[in-house]
Amino acid sequence: MSQMIGFTRKETMQLTGCTSSRLAYLEKVGLIIPYRYGTSSGRPTVVFSWEQLLEIRAIRNLRHEDVSLQTVRKIIEFLDQSGYDNSLRNKQLVIVGDEVFWIELDWSDFGTNMPTALKVASKKNRGIGQYVLLVIPPLLDIVKDIWEAAQNSKIIDFPSFQERAKAVPA
């Protein structure tokens, strides 16, 4: 029997701050699909990867800034169809009314070129509104949040968490 690598639903809820119903909804709409281990005769064990934990936390941060899940799906679809890395945890987004722009933060040639912005989502025939910069916390902050949640948890076996987090490539 192969060893499961990842985090249970209960651990994922604790580490990301999401409810079970939110995790189920993220799976239903195809944003986060956990791994399932087990036979069809019983309930399978649901396991989330380290990458999925980071994405769930990034989606949660966007939702706290009143970005709809429909808009989140549009952003991910655009990135996926355009051949970009479709993860949200390392993107800087600007909201203009109902339009979403992705700002690539390559400052190496700032003197000659401004950072680029890509429009990644919008509703038809909407005017330009107020600019709001939505900054998903840097990846290190997201990782720090998960580590702190694991240390403070009564559910997570912290030594086991440390081993599993080290075993999963980032």
Side-chain angles (χ1 to χ4, degrees):
M1 178 177 184
S2 65
Q3 180 181 3
M4 293 181 290
I5 297 178
F7 305 91
T8 66
R9 177 176 292 278
K10 191 178 256 189
E11 291 170 329
T12 300
M13 289 167 39
Q14 183 75 35
L15 295 169
T16 63
C18 280
T19 64
S20 182
S21 60
R22 175 59 64 182
L23 291 176
Y25 183 75
L26 291 173
E27 181 177 5
K28 178 182 173 186
V29 298
L31 290 177
I32 305 291
I33 309 297
Y35 304 98
R36 286 187 162 65
Y37 297 95
T39 63
S40 59
S41 62
R43 284 188 118 178
T45 301
V46 177
V47 177
F48 294 84
S49 71
W50 177 249
E51 292 289 322
Q52 288 173 326
L53 291 182
L54 298 176
E55 283 303 297
I56 292 166
R57 194 72 174 209
I59 290 169
R60 184 178 150 256
N61 289 338
L62 283 172
R63 295 290 296 134
H64 280 278
E65 295 295 334
D66 295 324
V67 175
S68 71
L69 277 174
Q70 179 182 9
T71 299
V72 171
R73 280 198 316 267
K74 284 182 182 180
I75 295 167
I76 292 172
E77 285 172 14
F78 170 85
L79 294 170
D80 199 36
Q81 291 170 0
S82 300
Y84 292 101
D85 166 23
N86 67 0
S87 64
L88 293 174
R89 67 188 178 281
N90 59 356
K91 304 291 187 289
Q92 303 299 316
L93 304 174
V94 175
I95 307 297
V96 182
D98 292 321
E99 300 175 330
V100 180
F101 295 86
W102 168 33
I103 306 297
E104 287 193 86
L105 295 178
D106 178 9
W107 298 91
S108 61
D109 62 351
F110 183 70
T112 56
N113 291 312
M114 293 298 287
T116 58
L118 296 174
K119 183 177 174 182
V120 296
S122 70
K123 290 186 178 178
K124 293 183 178 182
N125 303 321
R126 297 295 293 195
I128 294 186
Q130 180 180 1
Y131 283 85
V132 178
L133 179 62
L134 296 180
V135 179
I136 296 174
L139 180 58
L140 290 177
D141 288 349
I142 294 174
V143 169
K144 183 179 155 229
D145 288 345
I146 290 178
W147 278 93
E148 286 176 4
Q151 278 183 306
N152 297 328
S153 172
K154 292 183 168 106
I155 295 172
I156 307 295
D157 173 27
F158 190 69
S160 170
F161 169 80
Q162 288 176 307
E163 289 303 313
R164 289 182 287 158
K166 288 177 186 175
V168 179

